[in-house]
Amino acid sequence: MTAPQRKGVISHRMSTKPDRFYWNKALMSSPGKMPQGPRMATLQVKTSRRTEWVKITSEVNRCVAASGVSSGICHLHVPHTTAGVTINEGDDPDVARDTEAAFDRMVPREAGYKHYEGNSDSHIKATLVGCSQSVWIEDGRLWLGRWQAVFFCEFDGPRNREVHVKIAPDPAE
Amino acid sequence: MTAPQRKGVISHRMSTKPDRFYWNKALMSSPGKMPQGPRMATLQVKTSRRTEWVKITSEVNRCVAASGVSSGICHLHVPHTTAGVTINEGDDPDVARDTEAAFDRMVPREAGYKHYEGNSDSHIKATLVGCSQSVWIEDGRLWLGRWQAVFFCEFDGPRNREVHVKIAPDPAE
Amino acid sequence: MTAPQRKGVISHRMSTKPDRFYWNKALMSSPGKMPQGPRMATLQVKTSRRTEWVKITSEVNRCVAASGVSSGICHLHVPHTTAGVTINEGDDPDVARDTEAAFDRMVPREAGYKHYEGNSDSHIKATLVGCSQSVWIEDGRLWLGRWQAVFFCEFDGPRNREVHVKIAPDPAE
């Protein structure tokens, strides 16, 4: 398996629900002045292969920093049914590549599936990985282990995808 | 594999812990008058096959609507060890059927297991899928992607099963 | 497969972040006097085999009891990339053993992996199981089904491991 370069392009996006989602420039430039409620953002992820893990730790941490929340919980939700989100080692890209290949062996692309769209393997992988993660926030950052990174898992690309981010501050002590 | 009709019967149930669980008719008929704390409910799911995915999105949304919570988190917990809960495509029932069959291939029913009850495959599938999900609530509904649905995953049926639902409102802003 | 005795040794550990983590003896001896914010603790788990499930339900429940929280959410996070945490049947140890063996069949130790450390199988299993769980607390205990237990899942042992525990009380009603 050759290894094309990761081409995922990730960007913040302002919410289209202004009454609930505080993700705007004014607030991002004045962290610490936000109300007590949770904040939400949407990350956009552009994938370039059918199966591709894209590391999004930095982008999620940027959302956390912009929110002004120093301790709390960060919920990540992938609103798709042929993609997922996981936490695993982010230092050596071969780990993600080995996992992509192992998933291809566990869930073959062709196996007499009945689903008319021909991507049942993608749906099955999505259930194996899961579409959400909850990560604590400490000191204004995701509280991950030394080698842990957050990965968006594409199983039916290339596509334009989204990851929803909800940042809930801990109640005041 | 023939495809018998889905026979899952789902119903709300009032909690037996009146001091903690607000799930009663009076409150359901007056949403918006509930206290700040979380609300809980139990869904009952009757399965009809050994391996069977039952879509429960509407039932969970009914709980959310009855709770009067417009934004928050909905925690789903399956208290069994041979069943799970996942989120995947709910439009074409063949996706769930293909996944059931793929799980049967990944985890064969017989493989020299030692567990005396003879349902080790069911336990293993439960760990692969997971027994809980956390879904955000927005505008009084589960905030899911367009094609996403919540499925109760039976791996050792037919049985009478439960899904616990805890609905926690966002802190006031 | 012979079955060596479980040798996992588990202990609480006081937090090294005194400004955030209330896990100290004074507070443990006076439950109910804690502030409204969440409490955190770290469990240490010493594993003795390469693949080994260690039951940690009692230890987590001890954290919950010490926190003084009677209802809320207990978040468990494994900060490693070759280990996980799951909930499954804890009565017959053969279930965990059967699952360990099934995972070895699904994800073989050797499969032409590229990762230079030679433990890609461990990383892949960690993604299949997941590195976190959120469990409700009711009546000062984890609210689990009758047969459910919490397992730390070692996939690249023996090692000294950690499980982070965050206990968030429900908002006052």
Side-chain angles (χ1 to χ4, degrees), chain A residues 17 20 22 37-38 40 75 77-81 106 111 113-116 120 123-124 127-128 164-166, chain B residues 53 71-73 86 88-89 92 94-95 98-99 102-103 105-106 128 136 138-139 143 145 147-148 170 172-173:
Chain A
K17 301 181 78 179
R20 280 280 312 145
Y22 297 99
M40 295 164 103
H75 295 284
H77 178 74
V78 169
H80 311 290
T81 57
M106 275 189 286
Y113 301 119
K114 298 177 193 302
H115 180 42
Y116 68 93
S120 285
H123 290 289
I124 295 159
T127 275
L128 286 175
H164 295 316
V165 184
K166 180 168 187 169
Chain B
W53 286 30
S71 71
I73 296 279
T86 193
N88 213 308
E89 119 115 56
D92 177 5
D94 279 339
V95 171
D98 285 344
T99 309
F103 269 60
R105 285 189 296 269
M106 275 188 286
L128 286 176
W136 313 347
E138 286 299 319
D139 299 327
W143 200 43
W147 304 108
Q148 285 184 319
D170 284 336
E173 291 162 28

Side-chain angles (χ1 to χ4, degrees), chain C residues 46-115:
Chain C
K46 187 180 178 62
T47 58
S48 55
R49 290 185 278 124
R50 185 161 194 270
T51 303
E52 180 184 13
W53 285 30
V54 181
K55 192 157 51 167
I56 58 172
T57 321
S58 303
E59 288 75 11
V60 178
N61 264 325
R62 217 172 295 148
C63 295
V64 174
S67 76
V69 171
S70 71
S71 71
I73 296 279
C74 177
H75 295 284
L76 302 173
H77 178 74
V78 169
H80 311 291
T81 57
T82 54
V85 58
T86 193
I87 293 172
N88 213 307
E89 118 114 58
D91 197 52
D92 177 4
D94 279 340
V95 171
R97 287 310 183 97
D98 285 344
T99 309
E100 293 170 19
F103 269 61
D104 285 344
R105 284 189 297 268
M106 275 188 286
V107 187
R109 180 152 183 186
E110 302 293 344
Y113 301 120
K114 298 178 191 303
H115 179 42

Side-chain angles (χ1 to χ4, degrees), chain C residues 9-10 23 27 31 40-41 50 55 60 63 78 96-98 106 116 118 121-122 135 139 146 149 154 160 167 172-173:
Chain C
V9 175
I10 302 164
W23 208 254
L27 285 164
M40 295 164 102
R50 185 161 194 270
K55 192 157 51 167
V60 178
C63 295
V78 169
R97 287 310 183 97
D98 285 344
M106 275 188 286
Y116 67 92
D121 62 319
S122 315
V135 188
D139 300 326
R146 180 174 180 184
E154 174 66 84
N160 292 312
I167 297 168
E173 290 160 27

Side-chain angles (χ1 to χ4, degrees), chain B residues 31-60:
Chain B
K33 303 221 173 155
M34 304 183 75
Q36 288 303 305
R39 305 83 155 109
M40 295 165 102
T42 298
L43 295 178
Q44 290 182 307
V45 183
K46 188 179 177 63
T47 58
S48 55
R49 291 184 279 123
R50 185 161 194 270
T51 302
E52 179 184 15
W53 286 30
V54 181
K55 193 157 49 168
I56 58 172
T57 320
S58 304
E59 288 75 11
V60 178

Side-chain angles (χ1 to χ4, degrees), chain A residues 87-153:
Chain A
I87 293 173
N88 212 308
E89 119 115 58
D91 197 52
D92 177 4
D94 279 340
V95 171
R97 287 311 184 96
D98 285 344
T99 308
E100 292 170 21
F103 269 60
D104 285 344
R105 284 189 297 268
M106 275 189 286
V107 187
R109 179 150 184 187
E110 302 293 344
Y113 301 119
K114 298 177 193 302
H115 180 42
Y116 68 93
E117 290 183 291
N119 61 351
S120 285
D121 62 318
S122 316
H123 290 289
I124 295 159
K125 291 171 178 175
T127 275
L128 286 175
V129 161
C131 68
S132 68
Q133 291 284 341
S134 296
V135 188
W136 314 346
I137 298 165
E138 286 299 318
D139 300 327
R141 293 181 62 79
L142 298 178
W143 200 43
L144 295 169
R146 179 174 180 184
W147 304 108
Q148 286 184 319
V150 181
F151 287 92
F152 174 83
C153 306

Side-chain angles (χ1 to χ4, degrees), chain A:
Chain A
M1 190 171 66
T2 59
Q5 290 302 301
R6 165 190 156 182
K7 298 206 191 74
V9 175
I10 302 164
S11 63
H12 295 281
R13 196 182 62 172
M14 270 190 263
S15 169
T16 55
K17 301 181 78 179
D19 54 328
R20 280 280 312 145
F21 304 146
Y22 297 99
W23 208 254
N24 63 40
K25 271 201 178 157
L27 285 164
M28 277 200 276
S29 61
S30 57
K33 303 222 173 154
M34 304 183 77
Q36 288 303 305
R39 305 82 156 110
M40 295 164 103
T42 298
L43 295 178
Q44 290 182 306
V45 183
K46 187 179 178 64
T47 58
S48 55
R49 290 184 280 124
R50 183 161 195 271
T51 302
E52 180 184 14
W53 285 30
V54 181
K55 192 156 51 167
I56 58 172
T57 320
S58 303
E59 288 75 11
V60 178
N61 264 325
R62 217 171 295 149
C63 294
V64 174
S67 76
V69 171
S70 72
S71 71
I73 296 278
C74 177
H75 295 284
L76 302 173
H77 178 74
V78 169
H80 311 290
T81 57
T82 53
V85 58
T86 193
I87 293 173
N88 212 308
E89 119 115 58
D91 197 52
D92 177 4
D94 279 340
V95 171
R97 287 311 184 96
D98 285 344
T99 308
E100 292 170 21
F103 269 60
D104 285 344
R105 284 189 297 268
M106 275 189 286
V107 187
R109 179 150 184 187
E110 302 293 344
Y113 301 119
K114 298 177 193 302
H115 180 42
Y116 68 93
E117 290 183 291
N119 61 351
S120 285
D121 62 318
S122 316
H123 290 289
I124 295 159
K125 291 171 178 175
T127 275
L128 286 175
V129 161
C131 68
S132 68
Q133 291 284 341
S134 296
V135 188
W136 314 346
I137 298 165
E138 286 299 318
D139 300 327
R141 293 181 62 79
L142 298 178
W143 200 43
L144 295 169
R146 179 174 180 184
W147 304 108
Q148 286 184 319
V150 181
F151 287 92
F152 174 83
C153 306
E154 172 66 83
F155 295 124
D156 194 27
R159 292 207 202 192
N160 293 312
R161 300 291 206 171
E162 293 189 341
V163 180
H164 295 316
V165 184
K166 180 168 187 169
I167 297 168
D170 284 335
E173 292 162 26

